[in-house]
Amino acid sequence: MHQLSQTQDSRDSVQDYVLGNRVQEQNRLQFQAAILEKWTRQFFVSAGTEPGMRVLDLGCEMGDVSLLAAKLVGPTGSVIGIDRDRAIVERARERARRAACGANIEFLCANVLEFESPLDFDAVVGRRYILLYQPDPVSAVRHAAKQVRSGGIVLFHEMDFANPIRSYPYGTLFGRLLYGLITDTFRRAGCHADLALHLTRIFRQAGLPWPTIKAEVPIGGEHGCYLYTWLAETLRSLLPRIEQFNLASAVELDLDTLVDRMETEALARHSQLIGSGRGLDPKAVSGGAPC
């Protein structure tokens, strides 16, 4: 067990997270993690993650990224995942116990901007889509880099859902909800919906080398495509905020039929639906604590 400095005021429930913390949202995160695992694994490998490394996962949530990192670093490596939500941390610990992955993995309740460790990590990673929620992404990256040894890896997996990549045909229900309602809700909640477009600037202003950027964009529209459920469940998590901002009502959205309506339209129109710019992932080799 490592002795680490943790913030003492992490809340039992995180009220300002735009997607909330209901069980439904926790289940959505696991669904999302299953979709994104192949991309995250690819980013880890291309960044140089290998057996024996010590990895710090920032904002670990349900622990999916931490568990994936544990598989890659193996029993000779170690992973520490931190999150400010105590309930989420407990769920992550339980999942790790059930997974019995054989690696050294630990979950702690801490704020990503206050966490400090005497350990010298080989890699610090941000769980998928963490910087878009930070009031000051530059400060978040700068603080994260301080946890990494000289020559180590700083790795974030972010997205842009503010700038639509045109689907065919134009104006689908899927596209209007993703790049209209969801984007508007995140922006009104103070989130950076176009964060991925600013990754190079953020890394450079944080004192890090020019990052390597890789991008993957999900495309679908076929029967049973995961994009329909992903979008509908995201809207379900956002519904309290959507109604708070008077953007739409539960009756207007009719979430229980939304998947079927999106799929019926897409099949009838032979649509090619392009999701947001997910999977944008910078990697920079840290030269030590940035100035």
Side-chain angles (χ1 to χ4, degrees):
M1 184 69 68
H2 303 290
Q3 297 299 316
L4 303 174
S5 172
Q6 304 177 53
T7 178
Q8 298 300 311
D9 59 355
S10 296
R11 289 161 290 176
D12 290 336
S13 62
V14 181
Q15 301 296 334
D16 56 347
Y17 178 47
V18 64
L19 289 158
N21 189 29
R22 296 174 296 169
V23 172
Q24 180 273 330
E25 167 60 11
Q26 295 176 12
N27 293 336
R28 187 198 69 85
L29 287 171
Q30 289 185 257
F31 177 77
Q32 175 177 275
I35 295 169
L36 296 174
E37 181 176 359
K38 62 180 179 181
W39 288 326
T40 307
R41 178 183 292 272
Q42 174 185 325
F43 295 147
F44 268 125
V45 172
S46 64
T49 309
E50 57 188 22
M53 278 188 165
R54 296 181 300 274
V55 177
L56 174 64
D57 179 16
L58 303 176
C60 63
E61 290 189 330
M62 299 289 289
D64 292 280
V65 172
S66 297
L67 289 167
L68 176 57
K71 293 178 183 178
L72 295 175
V73 302
T76 60
S78 64
V79 178
I80 293 177
I82 66 171
D83 198 281
R84 62 179 180 169
D85 190 324
R86 294 184 186 279
I88 286 285
V89 168
E90 287 302 322
R91 289 286 303 273
R93 288 170 177 164
E94 178 58 32
R95 294 184 70 206
R97 285 192 289 268
R98 292 200 307 267
C101 56
N104 298 308
I105 185 167
E106 185 177 354
F107 293 99
L108 301 172
C109 187
N111 189 304
V112 298
L113 293 179
E114 299 174 6
F115 176 85
E116 293 182 355
S117 169
L119 298 179
D120 214 11
F121 291 99
D122 298 298
V124 60
V125 304
R127 62 91 169 162
R128 306 173 185 104
Y129 321 145
I130 186 173
L131 293 179
L132 70 91
Y133 299 109
Q134 303 303 313
D136 186 351
V138 173
S139 293
V141 171
R142 183 183 294 117
H143 182 75
K146 291 178 181 178
Q147 315 303 315
V148 184
R149 64 169 174 79
S150 179
I153 296 168
V154 178
L155 181 69
F156 285 86
H157 184 170
E158 296 293 333
M159 64 176 168
D160 166 33
F161 55 99
N163 298 282
I165 304 172
R166 183 169 177 172
S167 298
Y168 172 84
Y170 183 74
T172 61
L173 175 59
F174 174 88
R176 295 197 306 272
L177 291 173
L178 174 57
Y179 293 109
L181 184 57
I182 289 180
T183 298
D184 199 8
T185 303
F186 270 83
R187 279 179 166 160
R188 289 177 185 241
C191 301
H192 308 282
D194 64 344
L195 188 285
L197 294 184
H198 302 273
L199 287 170
T200 296
R201 174 185 62 80
I202 290 169
F203 268 52
R204 296 297 290 143
Q205 290 181 352
L208 292 175
W210 202 283
T212 299
I213 307 289
K214 295 190 176 183
E216 296 281 351
V217 180
I219 301 175
E222 71 278 10
H223 173 68
C225 176
Y226 64 84
L227 288 174
Y228 306 127
T229 299
W230 196 359
L231 186 143
E233 292 307 303
T234 299
L235 284 171
R236 197 180 300 278
S237 290
L238 285 174
L239 183 59
R241 289 301 189 98
I242 291 172
E243 294 185 320
Q244 174 190 344
F245 299 141
N246 294 315
L247 297 175
S249 68
V251 173
E252 291 171 324
L253 290 175
D254 191 10
L255 295 176
D256 290 339
T257 68
L258 182 57
V259 169
D260 288 339
R261 285 186 286 128
M262 286 190 292
E263 182 176 290
T264 298
E265 177 196 68
L267 294 177
R269 302 176 72 181
H270 306 290
S271 297
Q272 180 171 295
L273 303 177
I274 301 180
S276 59
R278 303 174 189 271
L280 289 115
D281 180 276
K283 182 265 289 186
V285 178
S286 170
C291 56

